Amino acid sequence: MNVNRAVLTLDEFTLQQLRQFPTATGELSRLLRDLALAAKRVNVEVNKAGLVDILGDDGSVNVQGEEVKKLDVFANNQFVGVLKHGISCAGIGSEELDDFVVFDDEISNNSKYVVHFDPLDGSGNIDVNVSIGTIFGVYRRVSEIGKPCTKEDFLQPGKNQVAAGYVIYGSSTMFVYATRRGVNGFTLDPSIGEFTLSFPNIICPPTGKFYSVNHGNFFQYNEGVRKYIDGCQRKTEATGGPYTQRYIGSMVADVHRNLMKGGIFMYPGTTDKPTGKLRLLYEANPFAFILEVAGGVATDGTQRILDIEPTSLHQRTPLFIGSKMMMEELESITSVNK
Ligand code: P6P
């Protein structure tokens, strides 16, 4: 029988990785499998969006003060459910929930990891069929195994992540995750219901042609950021510009494109919102980990994102992330114009 071994599923891939660490328990592999299962369930509903009454608002407002879309609630419930009923996670922090959640049962209390996630980022785009995504970051607990996880487990700097990733529900559905060993992309094959390895060992090109920023806030950015954005639109020796402006308003889609093709994504602080809009723990930190493993750079405009010591679950941060050389150009301009 001709068995097609060219296709490597996510489970097969993580098990291969596991074999290289004889002392590993396999808990991280099982955690990734749990996240992929939730992503497959969310994918089914996202693909139905428009056909069934799962679009639109559910009438509530989340801790961010944003209207909660029905699909947000569904997605959050899927990720909480698989992690709570799995054997690898002691608790979670979610964009949709006011506080972190301690699972506090015998199996969960003996689990090594906690997870931060944004279950459905970019949900404002659901109603107009623009790509949206899930973002997650995995941390080893610092609290005592065998007891309920604690606040300290959830307020670790991003450099402590052991894995991070995202799901992009787009023209195809992809599960992309990073450990310190590399970034790998898996595309959902609906015919077998499995994520299959499609982009092994993703490297962020050192430079690119895309710059992503909300130009509507231009006059609220500081002088250095405005100068860099202006430079992106000019042909200069240094940058090889002009660059192409691409901004979908869905972070997962914008950062995924720039990771794969090279580019820079910026959500700077503004005069109205000096700390910006994006959240540190479940948006900036996971992507910063992924980009650094892939050879990119991520800062808040003054320091490495992954070095920021969190103080609260939903704190926001300005975010500049992308190709190493473009980030160096940004730094050279903004450091002069601070
Ligand atoms: P703005 C979506 O709401 C989101 O959190 C990110 O996915 C996206 O990059 C950003 O906000 C877009 O924000 O203010 O440019 O519409």
Coordinates of all heavy atoms in Angstrom, one line a residue, residues 2 6 10 20 23 51-52 60 138 161 163 175-176 200 210 221 225 230 243 252 276 278 287 309 332:
N2 N 0.6 2.2 -0.9 CA 1.4 3.4 -1.0 C 1.0 4.4 0.0 O 0.0 5.0 -0.1 CB 1.3 4.0 -2.4 CG 2.1 5.3 -2.5 OD1 3.0 5.5 -1.7 ND2 1.7 6.1 -3.5
A6 N 4.6 12.0 2.9 CA 5.1 13.4 2.7 C 4.3 14.3 3.6 O 4.8 15.3 4.1 CB 4.9 13.8 1.3
L10 N 0.4 17.9 12.5 CA 0.9 18.6 13.7 C 1.3 17.6 14.8 O 2.3 17.7 15.4 CB -0.2 19.6 14.2 CG 0.2 20.4 15.5 CD1 1.4 21.3 15.3 CD2 -1.1 21.2 15.9
Q20 N 13.4 14.0 20.4 CA 14.8 14.6 20.5 C 15.1 15.0 21.9 O 16.2 15.4 22.2 CB 14.9 15.8 19.5 CG 14.7 15.3 18.1 CD 14.8 16.5 17.1 OE1 15.6 17.4 17.2 NE2 13.8 16.5 16.1
T23 N 13.9 13.4 28.0 CA 13.4 13.6 29.3 C 12.0 14.4 29.2 O 11.4 14.6 30.3 CB 14.4 14.5 30.1 OG1 14.6 15.7 29.3 CG2 15.7 13.8 30.3
L51 N -23.8 32.5 7.3 CA -24.9 31.5 7.0 C -25.8 31.3 8.2 O -27.0 31.0 8.1 CB -24.3 30.2 6.6 CG -23.4 30.2 5.3 CD1 -22.8 28.9 5.0 CD2 -24.3 30.6 4.1
V52 N -25.2 31.4 9.4 CA -26.0 31.1 10.6 C -25.9 32.4 11.5 O -25.0 33.2 11.3 CB -25.5 29.9 11.3 CG1 -25.7 28.7 10.5 CG2 -24.1 30.1 11.7
S60 N -23.2 42.1 24.8 CA -22.4 42.4 26.0 C -21.2 43.2 25.6 O -20.9 43.4 24.4 CB -22.0 41.1 26.7 OG -21.1 40.4 25.8
V138 N 2.5 30.4 25.8 CA 2.5 29.4 26.8 C 3.7 29.6 27.7 O 4.9 29.9 27.3 CB 2.7 28.0 26.1 CG1 2.7 26.9 27.2 CG2 1.6 27.7 25.1
Q161 N 8.3 32.8 27.8 CA 7.4 31.9 27.0 C 8.2 30.7 26.6 O 9.4 30.8 26.1 CB 6.8 32.6 25.8 CG 5.8 33.7 26.2 CD 5.3 34.5 25.0 OE1 4.2 34.3 24.5 NE2 6.2 35.4 24.6
A163 N 6.5 28.6 24.4 CA 6.0 28.4 23.1 C 5.0 29.6 22.9 O 4.4 30.1 23.8 CB 5.3 27.1 22.9
F175 N -2.1 27.1 11.4 CA -1.7 27.0 12.8 C -0.2 27.2 12.7 O 0.5 26.4 12.2 CB -2.1 25.7 13.4 CG -1.8 25.5 14.9 CD1 -2.8 25.7 15.8 CD2 -0.5 25.2 15.3 CE1 -2.6 25.5 17.2 CE2 -0.3 25.0 16.7 CZ -1.3 25.2 17.6
V176 N 0.3 28.3 13.3 CA 1.7 28.6 13.2 C 2.2 28.7 14.7 O 1.6 29.4 15.5 CB 2.0 30.0 12.5 CG1 3.5 30.3 12.5 CG2 1.5 30.0 11.1
P200 N 7.7 24.7 6.9 CA 8.7 24.4 8.0 C 9.7 25.5 8.1 O 10.1 26.2 7.2 CB 9.3 23.1 7.4 CG 9.1 23.1 5.9 CD 7.9 23.9 5.7
F210 N 6.8 45.8 2.8 CA 5.5 46.2 3.4 C 5.7 47.0 4.7 O 6.5 46.6 5.6 CB 4.7 45.0 3.7 CG 4.3 44.2 2.5 CD1 4.7 42.9 2.3 CD2 3.5 44.8 1.5 CE1 4.4 42.2 1.2 CE2 3.2 44.0 0.4 CZ 3.6 42.7 0.2
Y221 N 1.0 60.5 16.3 CA 2.2 59.8 16.6 C 3.3 60.8 16.9 O 3.2 61.9 16.5 CB 2.6 58.9 15.4 CG 1.7 57.9 15.0 CD1 1.5 57.5 13.6 CD2 0.9 57.2 15.9 CE1 0.6 56.6 13.2 CE2 0.0 56.2 15.5 CZ -0.2 55.9 14.2 OH -1.0 54.9 13.8
V225 N 8.3 58.7 14.9 CA 7.4 57.7 14.2 C 6.9 58.3 12.9 O 6.9 57.7 11.8 CB 6.2 57.2 15.1 CG1 5.2 56.4 14.3 CG2 6.8 56.4 16.3
D230 N 7.0 58.7 7.1 CA 7.2 59.6 5.9 C 8.3 59.0 5.0 O 8.2 58.9 3.8 CB 7.7 61.0 6.4 CG 7.9 61.9 5.2 OD1 6.9 62.3 4.6 OD2 9.1 62.2 4.9
Y243 N 8.1 52.0 0.3 CA 7.5 50.7 0.6 C 6.0 50.7 0.2 O 5.5 51.7 -0.2 CB 7.6 50.4 2.1 CG 9.0 50.3 2.7 CD1 9.3 50.8 3.9 CD2 10.0 49.7 1.9 CE1 10.6 50.7 4.4 CE2 11.3 49.6 2.4 CZ 11.6 50.1 3.7 OH 12.9 49.9 4.2
V252 N -3.4 39.5 13.3 CA -2.8 38.2 12.9 C -2.5 38.2 11.4 O -1.5 37.8 11.0 CB -3.8 37.1 13.3 CG1 -3.3 35.8 12.8 CG2 -4.0 37.0 14.8
G276 N -0.9 52.9 23.5 CA -1.4 52.2 22.3 C -2.6 51.4 22.5 O -3.3 51.7 23.6
L278 N -2.9 47.7 21.6 CA -2.6 46.3 21.6 C -2.2 45.9 23.0 O -1.5 46.6 23.8 CB -1.6 45.8 20.6 CG -2.0 46.2 19.1 CD1 -0.9 45.7 18.2 CD2 -3.3 45.6 18.8
F287 N 3.6 37.3 19.6 CA 4.1 37.7 18.3 C 5.6 38.1 18.4 O 6.4 37.8 17.5 CB 3.3 38.8 17.6 CG 2.2 38.3 16.8 CD1 0.9 38.6 17.1 CD2 2.4 37.4 15.7 CE1 -0.2 38.1 16.4 CE2 1.3 36.9 15.0 CZ 0.0 37.2 15.3
E309 N 8.3 43.7 32.1 CA 7.7 43.0 33.3 C 6.2 43.4 33.4 O 5.9 44.6 33.7 CB 8.5 43.5 34.5 CG 9.9 43.0 34.6 CD 10.0 41.5 34.9 OE1 9.0 40.9 35.3 OE2 11.1 40.9 34.7
S332 N 17.0 53.8 14.2 CA 17.9 54.9 14.0 C 17.2 56.2 13.8 O 17.8 57.3 14.2 CB 18.7 54.5 12.6 OG 17.8 54.6 11.6

